[in-house]
Each structure stands twice: as C-alpha cells, then as structure tokens.
Coordinates of all heavy atoms in Angstrom, one line a residue:
M5 N -36.1 11.3 10.2 CA -35.5 11.7 11.4 C -34.1 11.0 11.5 O -34.0 9.8 11.3 CB -36.4 11.3 12.6 CG -35.8 11.6 13.9 SD -36.9 11.2 15.2 CE -36.1 12.0 16.6
I6 N -33.1 11.7 11.8 CA -31.8 11.2 12.0 C -31.6 10.8 13.5 O -31.9 11.6 14.4 CB -30.7 12.2 11.6 CG1 -30.8 12.5 10.1 CG2 -29.3 11.7 12.0 CD1 -29.9 13.6 9.6
V7 N -31.2 9.6 13.7 CA -31.0 9.1 15.1 C -29.5 9.3 15.4 O -28.7 8.6 14.8 CB -31.5 7.6 15.2 CG1 -31.2 7.1 16.6 CG2 -32.9 7.5 14.8
T8 N -29.3 10.1 16.4 CA -27.9 10.4 16.7 C -27.4 9.3 17.7 O -28.1 8.5 18.3 CB -27.8 11.8 17.4 OG1 -28.5 11.7 18.6 CG2 -28.3 12.9 16.5
E9 N -26.1 9.3 17.9 CA -25.4 8.4 18.9 C -26.0 8.7 20.3 O -26.2 7.8 21.0 CB -23.9 8.6 18.8 CG -23.2 7.7 19.8 CD -23.5 6.2 19.6 OE1 -23.7 5.7 18.4 OE2 -23.5 5.4 20.6
K10 N -26.2 10.0 20.6 CA -26.8 10.4 21.9 C -28.1 9.7 22.1 O -28.4 9.2 23.1 CB -26.8 11.9 21.9 CG -27.4 12.5 23.2 CD -27.4 14.0 23.1 CE -28.5 14.6 23.8 NZ -28.4 16.1 23.8
M11 N -28.9 9.7 21.0 CA -30.3 9.1 21.1 C -30.2 7.6 21.3 O -30.9 7.0 22.1 CB -31.1 9.5 19.9 CG -31.5 10.9 19.8 SD -32.2 11.3 18.2 CE -33.9 10.8 18.5
H12 N -29.2 7.0 20.6 CA -29.0 5.5 20.8 C -28.7 5.2 22.2 O -29.2 4.2 22.8 CB -27.9 5.0 19.8 CG -28.4 4.8 18.5 ND1 -29.2 3.7 18.1 CD2 -28.1 5.4 17.3 CE1 -29.4 3.7 16.8 NE2 -28.8 4.7 16.3
Q13 N -27.8 6.0 22.8 CA -27.4 5.8 24.2 C -28.6 6.0 25.1 O -28.8 5.1 26.1 CB -26.3 6.8 24.6 CG -25.0 6.5 23.9 CD -24.0 7.6 24.2 OE1 -24.3 8.7 24.7 NE2 -22.7 7.4 23.7
V14 N -29.4 7.0 24.9 CA -30.5 7.2 25.8 C -31.5 6.1 25.7 O -32.0 5.6 26.7 CB -31.2 8.6 25.5 CG1 -32.5 8.7 26.2 CG2 -30.3 9.7 25.8
V15 N -31.8 5.6 24.5 CA -32.7 4.5 24.3 C -32.2 3.2 24.9 O -33.0 2.5 25.6 CB -33.0 4.3 22.8 CG1 -33.8 3.0 22.5 CG2 -33.8 5.5 22.2
A16 N -30.9 3.0 24.8 CA -30.4 1.8 25.4 C -30.5 1.8 26.9 O -30.9 0.8 27.5 CB -28.9 1.6 25.0
L17 N -30.2 3.0 27.5 CA -30.3 3.1 28.9 C -31.8 3.0 29.4 O -32.1 2.4 30.4 CB -29.7 4.4 29.4 CG -28.2 4.5 29.4 CD1 -27.7 5.9 29.5 CD2 -27.6 3.6 30.5
Y18 N -32.7 3.6 28.6 CA -34.1 3.5 28.9 C -34.6 2.1 28.9 O -35.2 1.6 29.9 CB -34.9 4.4 27.9 CG -36.4 4.2 28.1 CD1 -37.1 4.9 29.1 CD2 -37.1 3.3 27.3 CE1 -38.5 4.7 29.3 CE2 -38.5 3.1 27.5 CZ -39.1 3.8 28.5 OH -40.5 3.6 28.7
N19 N -34.2 1.3 27.9 CA -34.6 -0.1 27.8 C -34.0 -0.9 29.0 O -34.7 -1.8 29.5 CB -34.1 -0.7 26.5 CG -35.0 -0.2 25.3 OD1 -36.2 0.2 25.5 ND2 -34.5 -0.1 24.1
Q20 N -32.7 -0.6 29.4 CA -32.2 -1.3 30.5 C -33.0 -0.9 31.8 O -33.3 -1.8 32.6 CB -30.7 -0.8 30.7 CG -29.7 -1.4 29.8 CD -28.3 -0.8 30.0 OE1 -28.2 0.3 30.3 NE2 -27.3 -1.7 29.9
G21 N -33.3 0.3 32.0 CA -34.0 0.8 33.1 C -35.4 0.1 33.2 O -35.9 -0.3 34.2
L22 N -36.0 0.1 32.0 CA -37.4 -0.5 32.0 C -37.3 -2.0 32.3 O -38.2 -2.5 33.1 CB -38.0 -0.3 30.6 CG -39.4 -0.6 30.4 CD1 -40.3 0.2 31.4 CD2 -39.9 -0.4 29.0
A23 N -36.3 -2.7 31.9 CA -36.2 -4.1 32.2 C -36.0 -4.3 33.7 O -36.6 -5.2 34.4 CB -35.0 -4.8 31.5
L24 N -35.2 -3.4 34.3 CA -35.0 -3.5 35.8 C -36.3 -3.2 36.5 O -36.6 -3.8 37.5 CB -33.8 -2.5 36.2 CG -32.4 -2.9 35.8 CD1 -31.5 -1.8 35.9 CD2 -32.0 -4.1 36.6
Y25 N -37.0 -2.2 36.0 CA -38.2 -1.8 36.6 C -39.2 -2.9 36.7 O -39.9 -3.2 37.7 CB -38.8 -0.6 35.8 CG -40.2 -0.1 36.2 CD1 -40.3 0.9 37.2 CD2 -41.3 -0.6 35.6 CE1 -41.5 1.4 37.5 CE2 -42.6 -0.1 35.9 CZ -42.7 0.9 36.9 OH -43.9 1.4 37.3
K26 N -39.3 -3.6 35.5 CA -40.2 -4.8 35.4 C -39.8 -5.9 36.3 O -40.6 -6.7 36.7 CB -40.4 -5.2 34.0 CG -41.1 -4.2 33.1 CD -41.2 -4.7 31.7 CE -42.0 -3.7 30.9 NZ -42.1 -4.1 29.5
E27 N -38.5 -6.0 36.7 CA -38.0 -7.0 37.6 C -38.1 -6.5 39.1 O -37.6 -7.2 40.0 CB -36.5 -7.3 37.3 CG -36.3 -8.0 36.0 CD -34.9 -8.1 35.6 OE1 -34.0 -7.9 36.5 OE2 -34.6 -8.4 34.5
R28 N -38.8 -5.4 39.3 CA -39.0 -4.8 40.6 C -37.7 -4.3 41.3 O -37.6 -4.2 42.5 CB -39.7 -5.8 41.5 CG -41.0 -6.3 41.0 CD -41.6 -7.4 41.9 NE -41.8 -6.9 43.2 CZ -43.0 -6.6 43.8 NH1 -44.1 -6.7 43.1 NH2 -43.1 -6.2 45.0
K29 N -36.7 -4.1 40.5 CA -35.4 -3.5 41.0 C -35.4 -2.0 40.8 O -34.7 -1.5 39.9 CB -34.2 -4.2 40.2 CG -34.1 -5.7 40.4 CD -33.0 -6.3 39.6 CE -33.0 -7.8 39.8 NZ -32.0 -8.4 38.9
F30 N -36.2 -1.4 41.6 CA -36.6 0.0 41.4 C -35.4 1.0 41.6 O -35.2 1.9 40.9 CB -37.8 0.4 42.3 CG -39.0 -0.4 42.0 CD1 -39.5 -1.3 42.9 CD2 -39.6 -0.4 40.7 CE1 -40.6 -2.1 42.6 CE2 -40.7 -1.1 40.4 CZ -41.2 -2.0 41.3
A31 N -34.5 0.7 42.6 CA -33.4 1.6 42.9 C -32.4 1.5 41.7 O -31.9 2.5 41.2 CB -32.7 1.2 44.2
E32 N -32.2 0.3 41.2 CA -31.3 0.1 40.1 C -31.9 0.7 38.8 O -31.2 1.4 38.0 CB -31.0 -1.4 39.8 CG -30.2 -2.1 40.9 CD -30.1 -3.6 40.7 OE1 -29.7 -4.0 39.6 OE2 -30.5 -4.3 41.6
A33 N -33.2 0.6 38.6 CA -33.8 1.1 37.5 C -33.7 2.7 37.5 O -33.4 3.3 36.5 CB -35.3 0.7 37.4
K34 N -34.0 3.2 38.7 CA -33.9 4.7 38.8 C -32.5 5.2 38.5 O -32.4 6.2 37.7 CB -34.2 5.1 40.3 CG -34.1 6.6 40.5 CD -34.4 6.9 42.0 CE -34.2 8.4 42.2 NZ -34.5 8.8 43.6
A35 N -31.5 4.5 38.9 CA -30.1 4.9 38.6 C -29.8 4.9 37.1 O -29.2 5.7 36.6 CB -29.1 4.0 39.4
T36 N -30.4 3.9 36.5 CA -30.2 3.7 35.0 C -31.0 4.8 34.3 O -30.4 5.5 33.3 CB -30.7 2.3 34.5 OG1 -30.0 1.4 35.3 CG2 -30.4 2.2 33.1
F37 N -32.2 5.1 34.7 CA -32.9 6.2 34.1 C -32.2 7.6 34.3 O -32.2 8.5 33.4 CB -34.4 6.3 34.6 CG -35.2 5.2 34.2 CD1 -35.9 4.4 35.1 CD2 -35.4 4.8 32.9 CE1 -36.7 3.4 34.8 CE2 -36.2 3.8 32.5 CZ -36.9 3.0 33.4
Q38 N -31.6 7.7 35.5 CA -30.8 9.0 35.7 C -29.6 9.1 34.8 O -29.3 10.2 34.4 CB -30.4 9.0 37.2 CG -31.6 9.3 38.1 CD -31.2 9.1 39.6 OE1 -30.4 8.3 40.0 NE2 -31.8 10.0 40.4
K39 N -29.0 8.0 34.4 CA -27.9 8.1 33.5 C -28.4 8.6 32.1 O -27.8 9.3 31.5 CB -27.3 6.7 33.3 CG -26.5 6.2 34.5 CD -25.9 4.8 34.3 CE -25.2 4.3 35.5 NZ -24.8 2.9 35.3
A40 N -29.6 8.1 31.7 CA -30.2 8.6 30.5 C -30.5 10.1 30.6 O -30.2 10.8 29.6 CB -31.5 7.9 30.2
I41 N -31.0 10.6 31.7 CA -31.2 12.0 31.9 C -29.9 12.8 31.9 O -29.9 14.0 31.4 CB -32.0 12.2 33.3 CG1 -33.4 11.6 33.2 CG2 -32.1 13.7 33.6 CD1 -34.3 12.2 32.3
Q42 N -28.8 12.3 32.3 CA -27.6 13.0 32.2 C -27.2 13.2 30.8 O -26.6 14.2 30.5 CB -26.5 12.2 33.0 CG -26.6 12.2 34.5 CD -25.6 11.3 35.2 OE1 -24.9 10.5 34.6 NE2 -25.6 11.4 36.5
I43 N -27.5 12.3 29.9 CA -27.2 12.4 28.5 C -28.2 13.4 27.8 O -27.8 14.2 27.1 CB -27.2 11.1 27.8 CG1 -26.1 10.2 28.4 CG2 -27.1 11.2 26.3 CD1 -26.2 8.7 27.9
D44 N -29.5 13.2 28.2 CA -30.5 14.1 27.6 C -31.5 14.5 28.7 O -32.4 13.8 29.0 CB -31.3 13.3 26.5 CG -32.4 14.2 25.9 OD1 -32.5 15.4 26.2 OD2 -33.1 13.6 25.0
P45 N -31.3 15.7 29.3 CA -32.1 16.2 30.3 C -33.6 16.3 30.0 O -34.5 16.3 30.8 CB -31.6 17.5 30.7 CG -30.1 17.5 30.2 CD -30.2 16.6 29.0
E46 N -33.9 16.3 28.7 CA -35.3 16.4 28.2 C -36.0 15.1 27.9 O -37.1 15.1 27.4 CB -35.3 17.3 26.9 CG -34.7 18.7 27.0 CD -35.5 19.5 28.0 OE1 -36.7 19.5 28.0 OE2 -34.8 20.2 28.9
D47 N -35.3 14.0 28.3 CA -35.9 12.7 28.1 C -37.1 12.4 29.0 O -37.0 12.0 30.2 CB -34.9 11.6 28.3 CG -35.4 10.2 28.0 OD1 -36.3 10.0 27.1 OD2 -35.0 9.3 28.7
G48 N -38.3 12.7 28.5 CA -39.5 12.6 29.3 C -39.8 11.2 29.8 O -40.2 11.1 31.0
P49 N -39.7 10.2 29.0 CA -40.0 8.8 29.5 C -39.1 8.4 30.7 O -39.6 7.9 31.7 CB -39.7 7.9 28.3 CG -40.0 8.8 27.1 CD -39.5 10.1 27.5
S50 N -37.8 8.8 30.6 CA -36.9 8.4 31.8 C -37.3 9.3 33.0 O -37.3 8.7 34.1 CB -35.5 8.7 31.4 OG -35.0 7.8 30.5
Q51 N -37.7 10.5 32.8 CA -38.1 11.4 33.9 C -39.4 10.7 34.6 O -39.5 10.7 35.8 CB -38.4 12.8 33.4 CG -37.2 13.5 33.0 CD -37.6 14.9 32.4 OE1 -38.7 15.2 32.1 NE2 -36.5 15.7 32.1
L52 N -40.3 10.3 33.8 CA -41.5 9.7 34.3 C -41.2 8.4 35.1 O -41.7 8.3 36.2 CB -42.5 9.3 33.1 CG -43.7 8.5 33.5 CD1 -44.7 9.4 34.3 CD2 -44.4 8.0 32.3
Y53 N -40.3 7.6 34.6 CA -40.0 6.3 35.3 C -39.2 6.6 36.6 O -39.3 5.8 37.5 CB -39.4 5.3 34.4 CG -40.4 4.5 33.7 CD1 -40.9 4.9 32.4 CD2 -41.0 3.4 34.3 CE1 -41.9 4.2 31.8 CE2 -42.0 2.7 33.6 CZ -42.4 3.1 32.4 OH -43.4 2.3 31.8
I54 N -38.4 7.7 36.6 CA -37.7 8.0 37.9 C -38.8 8.3 38.9 O -38.6 7.8 40.1 CB -36.8 9.2 37.6 CG1 -35.6 8.8 36.8 CG2 -36.4 9.8 39.0 CD1 -34.7 10.0 36.3
E55 N -39.8 9.0 38.6 CA -40.9 9.3 39.6 C -41.6 8.1 40.0 O -41.9 7.9 41.2 CB -41.9 10.3 38.9 CG -41.3 11.7 38.7 CD -42.3 12.6 37.9 OE1 -43.5 12.2 37.8 OE2 -41.8 13.6 37.4
R56 N -41.8 7.2 39.1 CA -42.5 5.9 39.4 C -41.6 5.0 40.3 O -42.1 4.4 41.2 CB -42.9 5.2 38.2 CG -44.1 5.9 37.4 CD -44.5 5.1 36.2 NE -45.6 5.8 35.6 CZ -46.3 5.4 34.5 NH1 -45.9 4.3 33.9 NH2 -47.2 6.1 34.0
C57 N -40.3 5.0 40.0 CA -39.4 4.3 40.8 C -39.4 4.8 42.3 O -39.4 4.1 43.2 CB -38.0 4.3 40.3 SG -37.8 3.3 38.8
D58 N -39.4 6.2 42.4 CA -39.4 6.8 43.7 C -40.7 6.3 44.5 O -40.6 6.0 45.7 CB -39.4 8.3 43.6 CG -38.0 8.9 43.3 OD1 -37.0 8.2 43.5 OD2 -38.0 10.0 42.8
D59 N -41.8 6.3 43.8 CA -43.1 5.9 44.4 C -42.9 4.4 44.9 O -43.3 4.1 46.0 CB -44.2 6.0 43.4 CG -44.7 7.4 43.2 OD1 -44.2 8.3 43.9 OD2 -45.4 7.6 42.2
Y60 N -42.4 3.5 44.0 CA -42.3 2.1 44.4 C -41.2 1.8 45.4 O -41.3 0.9 46.1 CB -42.2 1.3 43.2 CG -43.5 1.1 42.4 CD1 -43.5 1.1 41.0 CD2 -44.7 0.9 43.1 CE1 -44.7 0.9 40.3 CE2 -45.9 0.8 42.4 CZ -45.9 0.8 41.0 OH -47.1 0.6 40.4
I61 N -40.2 2.7 45.4 CA -39.2 2.5 46.5 C -39.8 2.9 47.8 O -39.6 2.2 48.8 CB -37.9 3.4 46.2 CG1 -37.2 2.9 45.0 CG2 -37.0 3.5 47.4 CD1 -36.1 3.8 44.4
A62 N -40.6 3.9 47.9 CA -41.3 4.3 49.1 C -42.4 3.4 49.5 O -42.5 3.1 50.7 CB -41.9 5.7 48.9
E63 N -43.1 2.9 48.5 CA -44.2 1.9 48.8 C -44.2 0.9 47.7 O -44.8 1.1 46.7 CB -45.5 2.7 48.8 CG -46.7 1.9 49.3 CD -48.0 2.7 49.3 OE1 -47.9 3.9 49.7 OE2 -49.0 2.2 49.0
P64 N -43.6 -0.3 48.0 CA -43.5 -1.3 46.9 C -44.8 -1.8 46.5 O -45.8 -1.9 47.3 CB -42.7 -2.4 47.6 CG -41.9 -1.7 48.7 CD -42.8 -0.6 49.2
P65 N -45.0 -2.2 45.3 CA -46.2 -2.8 44.8 C -46.5 -4.2 45.4 O -45.5 -4.8 45.9 CB -46.0 -2.9 43.3 CG -44.6 -3.0 43.1 CD -43.9 -2.2 44.2
P66 N -47.7 -4.7 45.3 CA -48.0 -6.0 45.8 C -47.2 -7.1 45.1 O -46.7 -6.9 44.0 CB -49.5 -6.2 45.6 CG -49.9 -5.2 44.6 CD -48.9 -4.1 44.7
E67 N -47.1 -8.2 45.7 CA -46.4 -9.4 45.2 C -46.9 -9.8 43.8 O -46.1 -10.2 42.9 CB -46.4 -10.6 46.1 CG -45.5 -10.4 47.3 CD -44.1 -10.1 47.0 OE1 -43.5 -10.8 46.2 OE2 -43.5 -9.2 47.7
D68 N -48.2 -9.6 43.6 CA -48.8 -10.1 42.3 C -48.8 -8.9 41.3 O -49.5 -9.0 40.3 CB -50.2 -10.6 42.5 CG -51.2 -9.6 43.1 OD1 -50.7 -8.5 43.5 OD2 -52.4 -9.8 43.1
W69 N -48.0 -7.9 41.5 CA -47.9 -6.8 40.6 C -47.6 -7.2 39.1 O -46.7 -8.0 38.9 CB -46.8 -5.9 41.1 CG -46.5 -4.6 40.3 CD1 -47.4 -3.6 40.1 CD2 -45.3 -4.2 39.6 NE1 -46.8 -2.6 39.4 CE2 -45.5 -3.0 39.1 CE3 -44.1 -4.9 39.4 CZ2 -44.6 -2.3 38.3 CZ3 -43.1 -4.2 38.7 CH2 -43.4 -2.9 38.2
D70 N -48.4 -6.6 38.2 CA -48.3 -7.0 36.8 C -47.5 -6.0 36.0 O -47.5 -6.0 34.8 CB -49.6 -7.3 36.2 CG -50.5 -6.1 36.3 OD1 -50.1 -5.0 36.7 OD2 -51.7 -6.2 35.8
G71 N -46.9 -5.0 36.6 CA -46.1 -4.0 35.9 C -46.9 -2.7 35.6 O -46.3 -1.8 35.1
V72 N -48.2 -2.8 35.9 CA -49.0 -1.6 35.6 C -48.9 -0.6 36.7 O -49.0 -1.0 37.9 CB -50.5 -2.0 35.4 CG1 -51.4 -0.8 35.3 CG2 -50.6 -2.9 34.2
Y73 N -48.7 0.6 36.4 CA -48.6 1.7 37.4 C -50.0 2.3 37.6 O -50.7 2.7 36.7 CB -47.7 2.8 36.9 CG -47.5 3.9 37.9 CD1 -46.7 3.8 39.0 CD2 -48.2 5.1 37.8 CE1 -46.5 4.8 40.0 CE2 -48.1 6.1 38.7 CZ -47.2 5.9 39.8 OH -47.1 7.0 40.7
N74 N -50.5 2.3 38.9 CA -51.7 2.9 39.2 C -51.5 4.3 39.8 O -50.9 4.4 40.8 CB -52.5 2.0 40.3 CG -52.8 0.6 39.7 OD1 -53.3 0.5 38.6 ND2 -52.6 -0.4 40.5
M75 N -52.1 5.3 39.1 CA -51.9 6.6 39.5 C -52.6 6.9 40.8 O -53.7 6.4 41.0 CB -52.4 7.6 38.4 CG -51.6 7.5 37.2 SD -52.2 8.6 35.9 CE -52.0 10.2 36.6
K76 N -52.0 7.7 41.7 CA -52.6 8.0 43.0 C -53.4 9.3 43.0 O -54.2 9.5 43.8 CB -51.5 8.0 44.0 CG -50.8 6.6 44.2 CD -49.8 6.7 45.3 CE -49.3 5.3 45.5 NZ -48.0 5.0 45.1
T77 N -53.0 10.2 42.1 CA -53.7 11.4 41.9 C -54.0 11.7 40.5 O -53.4 11.1 39.6 CB -52.9 12.6 42.5 OG1 -51.7 12.7 41.8 CG2 -52.6 12.4 44.0
K78 N -54.9 12.6 40.3 CA -55.3 13.0 38.9 C -54.7 14.2 38.5 O -54.4 15.1 39.2 CB -56.8 13.1 38.8 CG -57.3 13.2 37.3 CD -58.8 13.0 37.3 CE -59.2 13.1 35.8 NZ -60.6 13.0 35.7

C-alpha cells in the first residue's frame, strides 16, 4: 500500500486529536478531527471520535475516566 501525503496529514491530525481527547480537551480534539475530515471526508476513525467528543462535550465523563468510551445505545 502506498501512503500518500494526504494520508500522512490525516494520520497526524488523528493522532493530535486522540491525544487531546485523552487529555479531556474534547472541543479541541473535535476541531482537530474535523480538520482530518476536511482532508479526507471518508476518514471513519475521525468521524467516530467527533461523535464521541460531542457526547463528552454535552456530558463530560467522571473525574476518574480512564479513556474508555461507554456506549449508551446498541
């Protein structure tokens, strides 16, 4: 598989967003994942984390949150 410059950019933004997410900086993480989506609208992992950020912005996780996302629906 050939890794394009576009893919490198998306992966770099995803990794930045994930680090912010783990630091509980959900609004900043969402903005970073959205930048990845602007480059590649089909980037599923960034789309997923945008949804999770929205959930945590609306209802922050407990203080002892370990980074695990608990699904609310099946």
Side-chain angles (χ1 to χ4, degrees):
M5 176 179 192
I6 297 173
V7 180
T8 64
E9 180 59 31
K10 178 176 151 179
M11 290 172 82
H12 278 292
Q13 292 172 350
V14 170
V15 169
L17 286 165
Y18 173 82
N19 286 332
Q20 287 176 320
L22 192 58
L24 290 164
Y25 177 88
K26 290 179 179 179
E27 293 174 14
R28 303 172 60 106
K29 297 178 180 176
F30 301 114
E32 292 173 54
K34 179 182 175 181
T36 304
F37 291 126
Q38 287 172 325
K39 289 178 187 175
I41 294 293
Q42 288 174 350
I43 296 169
D44 180 7
E46 301 299 316
D47 180 36
S50 291
Q51 292 172 351
L52 175 69
Y53 274 94
I54 288 170
E55 293 173 16
R56 290 181 178 184
C57 286
D58 284 339
D59 287 347
Y60 284 141
I61 289 167
E63 188 177 325
E67 289 300 317
D68 62 348
W69 180 63
D70 60 2
V72 174
Y73 181 80
N74 295 314
M75 295 179 64
K76 295 181 173 108
T77 60
K78 191 170 183 180

